[in-house]
Amino acid sequence: MKLYYSPGACSLSPHIALLEAGLPYDLVKVDLRAKKLENGDDYLKVNPKGQVPALALDNGELVTEGPVIVQMIADKASAKNLAPARDSAERYKLLEWLNFITGELHKNFSPLFNPTIPDEVKNFFKDRIMGKFKYADSQLAGRDYLMGKQFTVADGYLYTMLRWADGNKLDLSGLNNLMAYKDRVAARPKVQEALTKEGLLKAA
């Protein structure tokens, strides 16, 4: 498999999932502004959406959209318990979290990365994001991870959003459950490995 990624982008979520799953993969870096690969090839010929992540399967198929990719990864390594069993009540809860993160957090962050959007508009979206993080904080009371004691692919995605919060200087310091959770996820060896491979963390 090949994971098309850009350092620190939402592709960090499936990158963490691949490492946690222990699946073999190659990393292919994408320049999202130029829509080019490192070798100069046109990324739009790989993924016409022009976005990351994209996962090229060994059979030649391409899978896009982060929440779908991470579920596929989890299902390919079901023994790792990165997602509850398909058709279980817990699996639908995982889907609920993945949809919440992608629809309520990820999409509200998008305007903050657009230099043409005025600050007052960005502040509106920051307030919305804070409200969503407060909800996540309330749900993490007494839990190690979103689904309880078990780390799942939803955690890699939420952790990526928390890194974006840092990058946009959102003050989450009052959300104690979320801050403890962030530290817990960041301390995972495979998360550290993903950050190192993307050049976001210096190797020890």
Side-chain angles (χ1 to χ4, degrees), residues 178-191:
L178 200 59
M179 290 297 90
Y181 165 86
K182 179 186 169 190
D183 291 343
R184 197 175 298 121
V185 176
R188 293 180 69 85
K190 298 303 183 184
V191 173

Side-chain angles (χ1 to χ4, degrees), residues 8-28:
C10 54
S11 45
L12 177 62
S13 165
H15 191 182
I16 291 169
L18 281 166
L19 288 166
E20 291 277 358
L23 296 172
Y25 69 97
D26 293 318
L27 270 181
V28 183

Side-chain angles (χ1 to χ4, degrees), residues 89-156:
E90 290 80 11
R91 182 58 169 254
Y92 294 116
K93 188 65 182 177
L94 177 78
L95 285 169
E96 185 181 322
W97 273 117
L98 288 171
N99 278 277
F100 175 80
I101 297 165
T102 199
E104 301 295 339
L105 280 170
H106 190 164
K107 293 306 176 187
N108 277 316
F109 265 110
S110 297
L112 305 188
F113 297 112
N114 188 333
T116 66
I117 291 180
D119 286 345
E120 59 266 26
V121 176
K122 289 183 178 180
N123 287 336
F124 166 80
F125 283 100
K126 285 181 179 180
D127 286 343
R128 289 188 69 171
I129 291 166
M130 285 298 297
K132 307 306 178 185
F133 275 134
K134 285 177 182 174
Y135 169 77
D137 180 75
S138 73
Q139 298 303 298
L140 283 164
R143 292 169 175 247
D144 289 342
Y145 299 108
L146 290 172
M147 297 292 292
K149 293 290 185 187
Q150 178 65 39
F151 177 92
T152 68
V153 292
D155 295 302

Side-chain angles (χ1 to χ4, degrees), residues 162-202:
L162 288 167
R163 287 185 58 86
W164 285 11
D166 286 344
N168 285 280
K169 296 182 169 57
L170 294 179
D171 183 9
L172 305 180
S173 59
L175 304 179
N176 295 333
N177 296 326
L178 200 59
M179 290 297 90
Y181 165 86
K182 179 186 169 190
D183 291 343
R184 197 175 298 121
V185 176
R188 293 180 69 85
K190 298 303 183 184
V191 173
Q192 296 273 309
E193 186 178 344
L195 295 173
T196 301
K197 286 187 172 183
E198 294 197 14
L200 303 171
L201 189 70
K202 291 180 180 177

Side-chain angles (χ1 to χ4, degrees), residues 66-77:
V68 175
I69 292 171
V70 295
Q71 286 182 79
M72 175 178 280
I73 291 167
D75 288 338
K76 284 180 178 291

